[in-house]
Amino acid sequence: MIHSEPRELVNHMEWADALVWTALLQHREAHADRQIRECVHHLHQVQWAYLQVWRGEQLDIPDLGEFLDLKAIYRWCRDYYVQAAELLETLDSVMLKRQVNFPWAEDLVKRWGRAQPVTLAESLLQIWSHSSYHRGQMNRRLRELGAEPPLTDYVVWIWMGRPTAEWKGADAG
């Protein structure tokens, strides 16, 4: 993985998250939907956990019950991208090759008998992939609720000229 790829992956991830958030916040039924709230919280919970591990911090992730509504989760998500951008500016090729020690690795050892080392670059790819997976779940749920979900594919983002994220839910209060 070259140095520009992590920034590109996060740029795509933010663009795609912003599209999904716009769809969620514009669809009234999504605000009250338990599946949407749980999935969007989980997606951003994992993003925050990885960011805190990369920065060497103790995990401090709010439970879903701490958010009054979907808009509160949205505001929490937005701050992630501000802080992730700050971290990405400090990364170099040496840092990307450094091993990351996840506090949940012991659970993986118990489950599979091992947990191989992971680099920061590999974990960046993981968080991008994990986020894509859960955006797909939310898009499926939006369709079930009668909305037209946004197209968030990586290749679409490239074809569109790698646009920056447009957080249209900024008025979410």
Side-chain angles (χ1 to χ4, degrees), residues 1-6 9 93 96-97 120-122 124-125:
M1 188 178 262
I2 59 175
H3 180 62
S4 64
E5 287 176 358
L9 289 176
S93 59
L96 288 168
K97 292 176 186 171
L120 197 145
E122 291 165 333
L124 275 161
L125 181 58

Side-chain angles (χ1 to χ4, degrees), residues 47-142:
Q47 288 176 346
W48 274 106
Y50 272 65
L51 180 61
Q52 290 171 7
V53 167
W54 295 331
R55 296 191 304 198
E57 300 171 354
Q58 289 286 95
L59 293 183
D60 183 22
I61 309 294
D63 292 326
L64 178 57
E66 296 180 45
F67 295 98
L68 295 176
D69 55 19
L70 200 58
K71 292 176 183 180
I73 300 172
Y74 169 83
R75 288 188 294 273
W76 177 57
C77 160
R78 292 282 290 127
D79 194 38
Y80 168 82
Y81 282 106
V82 171
Q83 294 186 37
E86 291 171 1
L87 174 72
L88 286 169
E89 293 302 316
T90 70
L91 297 181
D92 59 27
S93 59
V94 172
M95 293 173 74
L96 288 168
K97 292 176 186 171
R98 127 178 112 82
Q99 285 186 12
V100 178
N101 298 311
F102 292 101
W104 53 87
E106 286 183 31
D107 295 334
L108 301 177
V109 171
K110 289 176 189 172
R111 185 172 182 178
W112 295 307
R114 65 176 179 210
Q116 296 295 321
V118 175
T119 66
L120 197 145
E122 291 165 333
S123 65
L124 275 161
L125 181 58
Q126 166 57 25
I127 201 64
W128 175 83
S129 174
H130 179 268
S131 297
S132 294
Y133 174 79
H134 288 298
R135 275 192 304 275
Q137 289 178 320
M138 287 184 285
N139 277 347
R140 177 191 47 80
R141 186 66 183 143
L142 275 168

